[in-house]
Amino acid sequence: FDEGGPEFSTEKELVDRYQTDPTNGLTSARAEKKLEEDGKNELYKPPRPSLLTLFIAQLCGFIIILLIIAALASILVNATGSKKDDALSYTTGMAIFVIVLLNAGIAAYTENQAGGALEALAKMSQPSIRVIRDGKETAVDTTTVVQGDIVLLETGDVVPADLRLIEATDVKVAEMCLTGEPDDVSKNAKVKAKSHNKDGPEKLTPENMCFSSCSCTSGKGKGIVVATGMNTRIGEIASHLAGSGTQKKRLGCLPDTSANQTPLQVNVEKLGGKIGVGAIVVCIVVFVIGLILDTRDPDNTDGPSWLYMILIAVTLAVAAIPEGIPLCVTISLSIGSSSMVKENVLVRKLAAVETLGSASVICSDKTGTLTEGKMTMVHMWAGGVKYDVSGKGFDPTQGKITRAEDGADAGNDVGVKSTLLAGVLCCNTTIVQEVDEATKEKLWKPKGNSSEAPIVVAASKVGWQTEDMKTEYPRVIEVPFSSSRKMMLTAMDVSSRDALYPGGLKLESGTKYVAVCKGAPNMLLELCETFIDHDGNAQKLTESTKKDITQIIDDYSDKALRVLAIAIHQIASFPFDPADEDVTTDTKFQFCRQNLQLVGLVASIDPERHGVKDAVKDANGASIRVVMITGDYLKTAVAIAKNISILDPDEGEEAACDCAKLRPGGEYISHEEMDALTQLTRCFARAKPEDKMEIVHSFQRQGFVSAMTGDGVNDAPALHAADIGVAMGIQGTEVAKGASKMVLTDDNFCSIVSAVARGRVIYAGIQKFVSFIMSVHIAEVLQIFVCVVANIPVMRTPLQILFLILVTDLPPSIALGMEPGDDNVLKVRPRPKSEPIMLGWMWMSSIMNGAILTAVIIGVYIGSLVHYCDGKIRQNDILALPDYEDKLANARTVAFISLVLSENIRAYISRSFERPCWINFLGNWNMQVAIVAAQVALLCAVLIPFFSDKILGLQGIKIGWWGWVVSLCGPVGTLILCELYKIVTFYQVRAYQEKLRIKAEEEEKKFRRQSGPENGDNGETTDAEPSNVYI
């Protein structure tokens, strides 16, 4: 545009620029061409990699590469050995390849499903809009809107793209999602000259422009689309969040999906890499020892020792590499994110599942999250009398108005009817009944500004219907609410009336117009000269009366009520033409607000959501600080915070903060001052969207893991910066959802706390199965190492190890990740963000459990060798026996059965690090299914002909009753010894908890010293870090 933006262009200039017609719109052909040129009207989404691409990328992991090398080594060794013509000799290598492909397939599928979260969110609503094309009105999908389209806006429509209005009738748009301003903005079709005068305040948005994703709250209009997709103002914000938009590549051609990996997955991958390197070292050491001892293959005693030791090295590699951990983590996180849907939480990024477990601060919006988002009138004052208003929500058929002193019905009192009639005349909102598509229930919903809904609902209870008011009281002037005026004003033609309503407040002789003003009571009270008494007569407003009314206002405010004053001005004539658009809004406002008569006060509250108070207490008990961020005034915010237990009843305003303190003079205070302030504050009032970003950064500097809620476009940067960005599913914008890690489908704070509890349970389950799997691999490595060093025949083959780990051990591992969690899950301290998945005492537990399992199974194996191999246990001695193959296979089978049974018992033992396994023994149904599956797999492995003896080298039919009985010694010994070791773990856990407690107290004292006595340092601890901690 030559002269600024489209807001400064005339209608003709816009029509010529976009080759459109304001009456007939674009032609269908022109619209299709523009759609091909400019693309769909949607925000940029990077192309998702295909399932095949993801599958190939999974094969590039370090652990997978090690397994592939092990498989190739096994195949090459057998291809050069004496059994190169035997197809069964290649089963080990082929089995490893199958496992690799299966692991990659499941991981790729899971990642592909997780990558579809944004598309699933977008499909939650597919809005349409009315446009003019080919001279006809037609409804089109918003994604097909193009530049030059003529869009028709009505109340309730969401603006599909950036529009320049060419017609506007009482159009108001809610721009809170874009600017953060809570009040609706009036729009018109006027073209103003570009002003270079910077003395006056610059408006956030032009008056003749409507922007994408903002909703039309009243009126109707027509506009020309001037920007779509990423070229809209919201698109500009989204582009900053998306970065350069260039997709990273891996190995030059594959997509780099590391950004989608959770920190836990990254840590597990690093852990696996370190273990893999350790496995290589162990393989080399064992290989050298085997060569020194001249260890040979029992099935081919004539073969060279080095060839057999390569096979042993492959066996060790398979035993040491935790190939099941990444798969189990991915499955556990995916199942966890799916289960959170039942808690009304839609997880967009798997990282949120694990991060929730370490959340230590929840920063929540008030309206609609902590509260119902349905302002309800509960009290009013008129004519010197206090009234109570019953009912809840937007249903005008429920509740009534009664006198506070005696409970008498007051629906016909002059003061009540006059106050509510005047209030309705100064509103643009209507209440309609609609059918909810999900529940099929009829619900009352406001159309327009929801802050006006309490007045409209209460007025309906005494018979005033907004639809009737428009015709019975024609409006001639409207001055919309603004943050500077703090009030709204309307003027109606009452020239045919001698009373405000029949039998009601009498109008002065000659009155042709009545101006109604509603707004901030303290400001409005200063403009009033008289007030209407109980009988409808005007009385002088003395200083004493003002003081009494101010006290009533303060009493209502102390109860967290939003108080509005309603006043009228009876006008005989205007000194200007009300229809003249050249008369400024300020001129109309200054005249109409003179000589006001106070009619009454109305007090409304946004009631807290059911269960919020208990959820806040649960969060505090979990050492999670709940912080409320609201645009309300400090006094109101403190009252609400006390109602929902964020602040204690006897707590003063020292734990609350007006956000103006964060930015005195317009500039934010230093990091040190900010941190000292936020460390002690749990309620932020008069907050702007940009304040959220500063608060998040402050908590992160202090080491807190913060969850931040938001719904508007202007909240997106804070949601993106927070450790857990939580968007609202109902009232949230697509940009807010795209910047978040999780979405609340019911906009309810209780869902956040439930998700935190679920996140902790999931993470605890992951810790349990990682510890379990690590002990399994430690035991496997130790068993093979002992066999090689002691010159005992290796007790199992690589194929048997794979079968053990991925068939009989993997199902219980997954079941451990699905543990229901302990009852005290919300009574423990949040884990530090940098805490490794395996703590020191967990490593000790895994090593000791692996050592116990090794000792028990080695004992069973040696006993079996003595029994079946004529008392021989050395490999050279056994190889000299007749039919040593069958005898050795019998001993290996007994050890195999004993190990499977022991691992199944250990799965139950691993359900808790310190509690006895018999407590709530059958509490995890998934575990029973997994153990049954493992037992079925065991019976198949040792009893099915050909599969057991030819492929796996096991023969359960030949071991006799002695073998089956002796195999039971393994699980019995494992149960006793592992349970005894839990005594050691118990004290290790307590020592770790005490260490965390001391560290937390030291950090708290440090911040209190920094904050100083002026910020409330009384030496007491806050509820952010309680001293009692349990696991």
Side-chain angles (χ1 to χ4, degrees):
F1 291 93
D2 295 332
E3 294 292 333
E7 62 267 29
F8 301 111
S9 301
T10 64
E11 179 179 327
K12 184 178 184 306
E13 290 172 340
L14 292 171
V15 168
D16 292 342
R17 179 181 180 88
Y18 296 110
Q19 301 178 31
T20 187
D21 187 298
T23 304
N24 298 318
L26 294 174
T27 64
S28 297
R30 172 70 178 164
E32 289 180 9
K33 183 179 179 182
K34 285 291 294 179
L35 188 62
E36 290 180 4
E37 293 174 353
D38 300 338
K40 286 189 174 183
N41 176 36
E42 58 188 6
L43 301 182
Y44 170 78
K45 290 176 285 189
R48 286 180 55 196
S50 66
L51 184 61
L52 176 62
T53 305
L54 289 174
F55 176 79
I56 297 173
Q58 294 295 330
L59 300 177
C60 300
F62 180 70
I63 292 178
I64 299 298
I65 291 174
L66 286 180
L67 286 174
I68 292 175
I69 293 173
L72 291 173
S74 175
I75 292 174
L76 288 174
V77 168
N78 284 288
T80 57
S82 60
K83 297 183 178 180
K84 61 182 180 181
D85 297 328
D86 185 1
L88 292 178
S89 63
Y90 300 100
T91 52
T92 297
M94 299 307 296
I96 295 176
F97 275 123
V98 170
I99 295 301
V100 165
L101 296 177
L102 180 63
N103 184 86
I106 294 175
Y109 174 78
T110 305
E111 187 169 341
N112 185 62
Q113 292 295 100
L118 188 58
E119 283 80 353
L121 279 173
K123 291 176 183 177
M124 288 174 64
S125 60
Q126 290 289 347
S128 62
I129 193 70
R130 290 188 308 124
V131 300
I132 300 177
R133 287 185 182 174
D134 299 319
K136 300 177 182 178
E137 290 187 17
T138 181
V140 300
D141 189 274
T142 55
T143 59
T144 63
V145 170
V146 297
Q147 284 184 328
D149 259 328
I150 306 298
V151 173
L152 303 176
L153 282 181
E154 289 187 347
T155 302
D157 286 340
V158 176
V159 182
D162 287 359
L163 307 178
R164 160 68 163 79
L165 292 175
I166 56 176
E167 293 180 13
T169 305
D170 298 326
V171 173
K172 287 187 177 181
V173 177
E175 294 184 338
M176 183 175 179
C177 68
L178 187 66
T179 65
E181 289 294 320
D183 303 306
D184 299 341
V185 181
S186 297
K187 298 292 183 180
N188 57 53
K190 295 180 183 178
V191 181
K192 292 188 177 182
K194 188 173 179 63
S195 175
H196 298 285
N197 181 15
K198 300 296 182 182
D199 296 334
E202 184 179 353
K203 293 191 175 181
L204 295 174
T205 58
E207 292 182 346
N208 57 5
M209 292 287 295
C210 293
F211 294 97
S212 177
S213 294
C214 300
S215 58
C216 180
T217 58
S218 68
K220 59 182 181 179
K222 180 192 288 187
I224 299 177
V225 176
V226 297
T228 61
M230 294 298 289
N231 295 318
T232 61
R233 186 169 292 193
I234 279 183
E236 293 175 6
I237 299 175
S239 65
H240 292 308
L241 294 174
S244 64
T246 304
Q247 193 172 20
K248 295 181 179 179
K249 295 293 183 181
R250 185 180 181 187
L251 300 179
C253 59
L254 295 175
D256 185 3
T257 59
S258 59
N260 296 329
Q261 281 189 311
T262 72
L264 175 63
Q265 288 172 315
V266 173
N267 290 336
V268 166
E269 192 168 295
K270 290 181 179 178
L271 174 65
K274 292 177 181 178
I275 294 172
V277 173
I280 293 174
V281 174
V282 172
C283 289
I284 294 173
V285 171
V286 172
F287 180 80
V288 173
I289 293 174
L291 287 180
I292 295 173
L293 297 177
D294 194 29
T295 305
R296 296 178 180 273
D297 187 357
D299 297 326
N300 182 20
T301 56
D302 296 329
S305 175
W306 65 268
L307 199 60
Y308 176 60
M309 290 313 300
I310 289 179
L311 287 176
I312 294 299
V314 170
T315 304
L316 269 176
V318 172
I321 297 171
E323 63 276 348
I325 290 182
L327 181 59
C328 282
V329 168
T330 304
I331 292 174
S332 184
L333 291 178
S334 300
I335 293 174
S337 62
S338 299
S339 67
M340 284 188 179
V341 175
K342 299 177 183 178
E343 307 287 347
N344 297 311
V345 175
L346 187 60
V347 177
R348 286 193 64 253
K349 297 181 180 179
L350 286 179
V353 178
E354 65 185 78
T355 311
L356 279 169
S358 58
S360 50
V361 174
I362 300 176
C363 301
S364 176
D365 288 331
K366 174 185 73 72
T367 304
T369 306
L370 292 167
T371 63
E372 290 188 354
K374 299 177 181 178
M375 291 294 294
T376 305
M377 190 183 298
V378 291
H379 298 294
M380 64 180 294
W381 174 92
V385 180
K386 290 182 178 180
Y387 299 92
D388 294 331
V389 184
S390 58
K392 192 175 183 181
F394 301 132
D395 189 349
T397 65
Q398 300 294 322
K400 59 182 180 178
I401 300 174
T402 57
R403 294 189 184 95
E405 58 181 1
D406 56 12
D409 194 327
N412 291 318
D413 283 15
V414 174
V416 170
K417 299 202 72 169
S418 299
T419 299
L420 294 178
L421 173 59
V424 167
L425 294 176
C426 197
C427 290
N428 291 313
T429 299
T430 59
I431 303 294
V432 297
Q433 196 173 28
E434 296 180 347
V435 177
D436 187 273
E437 295 182 359
T439 63
K440 304 302 180 184
E441 296 181 27
K442 290 185 177 181
L443 302 175
W444 291 92
K445 296 182 179 180
K447 294 294 183 181
N449 192 333
S450 59
S451 64
E452 296 178 343
I455 298 175
V456 177
V457 172
S460 297
K461 295 177 182 179
V462 296
W464 301 130
Q465 304 298 328
T466 52
E467 294 80 3
D468 302 333
M469 302 299 105
K470 293 179 180 179
T471 55
E472 295 181 17
Y473 298 84
R475 185 179 292 182
V476 295
I477 289 177
E478 177 181 338
V479 179
F481 179 92
S482 73
S483 55
S484 58
R485 287 188 288 265
K486 301 294 184 186
M487 58 189 75
M488 175 183 176
L489 184 144
T490 58
M492 280 64 60
D493 185 345
V494 293
S495 55
S496 61
R497 297 175 179 273
D498 58 0
L500 189 61
Y501 68 92
L505 175 66
K506 297 294 184 182
L507 298 177
E508 297 174 1
S509 177
T511 299
K512 292 185 178 180
Y513 304 97
V514 169
V516 179
C517 193
K518 67 174 172 64
N522 293 332
M523 296 185 68
L524 201 58
L525 199 59
E526 294 300 319
L527 300 175
C528 292
E529 298 182 357
T530 61
F531 75 98
I532 307 301
D533 65 13
H534 182 63
D535 297 322
N537 301 316
Q539 302 292 337
K540 185 172 179 59
L541 192 61
T542 63
E543 289 300 321
S544 176
T545 307
K546 278 187 179 181
K547 186 176 180 181
D548 292 339
I549 296 174
T550 301
Q551 185 59 50
I552 293 172
I553 294 170
D554 289 342
D555 290 343
Y556 284 154
S557 297
D558 288 342
K559 297 177 182 178
L561 302 179
R562 182 183 182 187
V563 185
L564 292 176
I566 300 174
I568 64 172
H569 176 201
Q570 301 181 38
I571 302 171
S573 62
F574 291 109
F576 49 79
D577 181 2
D580 187 355
E581 293 187 355
D582 291 331
V583 179
T584 65
T585 299
D586 284 337
T587 300
K588 297 175 183 179
F589 178 70
Q590 293 296 332
F591 176 79
C592 292
R593 74 171 192 171
Q594 301 177 59
N595 305 318
L596 291 178
Q597 294 177 310
L598 181 65
V599 182
L601 305 171
V602 294
S604 305
I605 191 171
D606 186 3
E608 67 263 20
R609 282 184 176 270
H610 177 71
V612 160
K613 187 178 293 186
D614 291 336
V616 171
K617 291 180 179 177
D618 288 342
N620 289 335
S623 306
I624 299 172
R625 181 193 301 180
V626 179
V627 176
M628 185 178 78
I629 303 177
T630 176
D632 290 330
Y633 289 100
L634 182 61
K635 198 169 186 178
T636 304
V638 169
I640 294 172
K642 289 182 178 180
N643 284 349
I644 56 180
S645 299
I646 288 179
L647 296 179
D648 294 331
D650 57 347
E651 205 165 9
E653 294 185 1
E654 64 274 1
C657 169
D658 189 312
C659 283
K661 288 185 178 180
L662 305 180
R663 37 181 164 74
E667 296 292 330
Y668 284 104
I669 57 181
S670 67
H671 287 175
E672 292 76 13
E673 293 175 305
M674 180 78 73
D675 294 348
L677 189 62
T678 57
Q679 208 275 337
L680 302 174
T681 304
R682 299 194 302 282
C683 176
F684 292 92
R686 303 299 298 162
K688 294 182 178 180
E690 53 267 28
D691 295 334
K692 287 186 173 183
M693 178 78 83
E694 295 299 323
I695 293 170
V696 164
H697 287 324
S698 176
F699 282 133
Q700 288 174 334
R701 284 194 298 270
Q702 298 172 52
F704 290 103
V705 177
S706 60
M708 172 68 75
T709 68
D711 52 17
V713 173
N714 50 347
D715 290 328
L719 291 174
H720 190 69
D723 299 286
I724 312 165
V726 183
M728 302 296 107
I730 298 175
Q731 61 185 14
T733 60
E734 288 302 317
V735 173
K737 294 174 185 175
S740 68
K741 293 182 177 67
M742 53 185 274
V743 178
L744 301 183
T745 58
D746 61 350
D747 291 8
N748 194 339
F749 175 83
C750 299
S751 299
I752 303 178
V753 180
S754 298
V756 169
R758 189 65 193 157
R760 289 188 174 190
V761 169
I762 292 169
Y763 192 85
I766 291 174
Q767 284 185 311
K768 290 173 185 176
F769 78 64
V770 169
S771 179
F772 173 76
I773 291 177
M774 288 309 304
S775 66
V776 170
H777 286 277
I778 289 171
E780 291 289 349
V781 171
L782 286 176
Q783 290 167 29
I784 295 172
F785 183 80
V786 169
C787 288
V788 172
V789 172
N791 198 21
I792 299 172
V794 177
M795 69 171 66
R796 62 187 62 94
T797 65
L799 190 57
Q800 291 173 359
I801 293 174
L802 280 175
F803 188 89
L804 279 169
I805 293 174
L806 296 173
V807 179
T808 61
D809 289 342
L810 186 60
S813 300
I814 296 174
L816 281 173
M818 300 168 67
E819 277 289 309
D822 298 331
D823 295 335
N824 64 344
V825 66
L826 284 180
K827 295 180 182 178
V828 303
R829 188 183 304 276
R831 61 181 176 83
K833 187 178 180 181
S834 58
E835 181 181 270
I837 186 172
M838 287 284 287
L839 303 175
W841 57 267
M842 291 181 185
W843 273 112
M844 185 63 70
S845 176
S846 294
I847 292 171
M848 289 304 299
N849 277 273
I852 290 170
L853 190 60
T854 297
V856 170
I857 300 304
I858 287 289
V860 171
Y861 182 50
I862 291 176
S864 300
L865 287 175
V866 171
H867 177 76
Y868 292 110
C869 299
D870 303 332
K872 309 295 184 182
I873 61 172
R874 296 281 183 175
Q875 177 167 308
N876 295 333
D877 296 334
I878 292 174
L879 295 181
L881 296 174
D883 299 327
Y884 71 87
E885 294 92 344
D886 283 343
K887 295 177 180 179
L888 184 57
N890 288 338
R892 285 175 170 175
T893 302
V894 173
F896 183 90
I897 296 171
S898 186
L899 182 62
V900 172
L901 296 176
S902 299
E903 286 299 338
N904 289 170
I905 287 294
R906 281 202 61 255
Y908 284 101
I909 295 171
S910 299
R911 291 184 62 211
S912 174
F913 285 107
E914 54 183 87
R915 290 190 311 173
C917 65
W918 51 83
I919 295 179
N920 195 23
F921 186 74
L922 301 178
N924 183 0
W925 170 250
N926 298 296
M927 183 62 75
Q928 329 312 334
V929 175
I931 296 302
V932 169
Q935 291 303 306
V936 171
L938 170 63
L939 295 176
C940 292
V942 299
L943 296 178
I944 296 180
F946 187 78
F947 176 67
S948 62
D949 54 353
K950 300 298 183 183
I951 296 179
L952 292 178
L954 302 171
Q955 41 193 29
I957 298 176
K958 296 183 180 180
I959 62 175
W961 65 268
W962 187 94
W964 287 96
V965 171
V966 170
S967 66
L968 296 177
C969 296
V972 172
T974 300
L975 174 63
I976 295 172
L977 295 175
C978 289
E979 285 296 318
L980 286 174
Y981 184 75
K982 282 186 177 180
I983 298 174
V984 178
T985 306
F986 177 86
Y987 288 103
Q988 289 177 326
V989 170
R990 291 298 176 268
Y992 179 74
Q993 293 170 347
E994 182 66 13
K995 179 181 176 182
L996 284 182
R997 185 187 66 80
I998 293 173
K999 182 180 179 182
E1001 289 182 353
E1002 289 176 349
E1003 290 179 352
E1004 185 177 338
K1005 289 177 181 177
K1006 183 183 77 171
F1007 276 108
R1008 284 188 175 277
R1009 285 195 299 269
Q1010 291 177 351
S1011 64
E1014 67 275 9
N1015 284 324
D1017 185 8
N1018 54 14
E1020 297 177 359
T1021 59
T1022 67
D1023 61 350
E1025 299 289 353
S1027 58
N1028 295 326
V1029 187
Y1030 304 95
I1031 284 189

